[in-house]
Amino acid sequence: MTERVEITLTINGRDYIVRVEPRKTLADVIRDDCGQTGTHIGCEHGVCGACTVILDNEAVRSCLMFAIQAQGKRIRTVEGLADGDQLHPLQASFIAHHGLQCGFCTPGFLMLAVNALETNPEITDDEILEVLSSNLCRCTGYQNIIKAV
């Protein structure tokens, strides 16, 4: 058995002190050890984007990094978007434009789009299409996701 190490992850402004094996992915620790199950695990190869979180103002695939790499950084997950009962404007837009069906890819799309809009408020339509093209959805055909963003 691999020896566990103690790390502190700051997720949505809250510190989580966890003991993990150094080989455990950030996605697994966020879900299994910190209870933030909105971050979904899809392909586990960084292809689908379902596990996208914002790490120090950068959208990253949490399945492609070890949890220990995130220590000392700010992690934002889909659970951190709403302000209490008040949805983030992008969450409300996904609902209004029917930008989801099964919902599995939705957290990854939300985190990717939120990061793109926060880091570049003047982003063009073509640029947002380029950003969104990195995530996969098997249900919607993308049009309503694009409308929502």
Side-chain angles (χ1 to χ4, degrees):
M1 182 173 188
T2 306
E3 190 171 323
R4 294 176 179 255
V5 296
E6 186 174 286
I7 61 172
T8 302
L9 296 179
T10 303
I11 303 172
N12 302 321
R14 179 178 166 205
D15 286 343
Y16 294 83
I17 300 169
V18 294
R19 292 188 57 78
V20 299
E21 294 180 16
R23 65 184 174 90
K24 198 163 183 183
T25 67
L26 179 59
D28 285 332
V29 172
I30 287 172
R31 290 180 57 80
D32 300 341
D33 300 289
C34 301
Q36 302 298 300
T37 57
T39 300
H40 292 165
I41 299 172
C43 67
E44 297 188 70
H45 296 284
V47 175
C48 73
C51 68
T52 303
V53 298
I54 299 173
L55 186 71
D56 278 350
N57 300 319
E58 182 181 352
V60 299
R61 313 286 195 182
S62 61
C63 75
L64 291 181
M65 63 183 298
F66 297 117
I68 60 174
Q69 292 175 288
Q71 183 165 250
K73 299 181 186 310
R74 293 179 329 276
I75 303 164
R76 229 167 125 198
T77 68
V78 71
E79 290 92 346
L81 291 183
D83 183 11
D85 290 338
Q86 183 68 38
L87 292 177
H88 185 280
L90 203 50
Q91 289 173 306
S93 186
F94 264 65
I95 292 168
H97 291 91
H98 307 288
L100 61 129
Q101 284 181 28
C102 83
F104 192 82
C105 67
T106 306
F109 271 107
L110 283 167
M111 299 314 292
L112 185 67
V114 164
N115 183 248
L117 294 167
E118 286 178 351
T119 57
N120 183 6
E122 303 300 319
I123 194 167
T124 67
D125 289 347
D126 286 341
E127 290 169 330
I128 201 69
L129 284 174
E130 180 70 24
V131 168
L132 295 177
S133 72
S134 69
N135 279 26
L136 299 178
C137 173
R138 292 188 169 103
C139 299
T140 66
Y142 300 98
Q143 291 308 310
N144 290 343
I145 294 171
I146 294 165
K147 285 179 194 171
V149 177

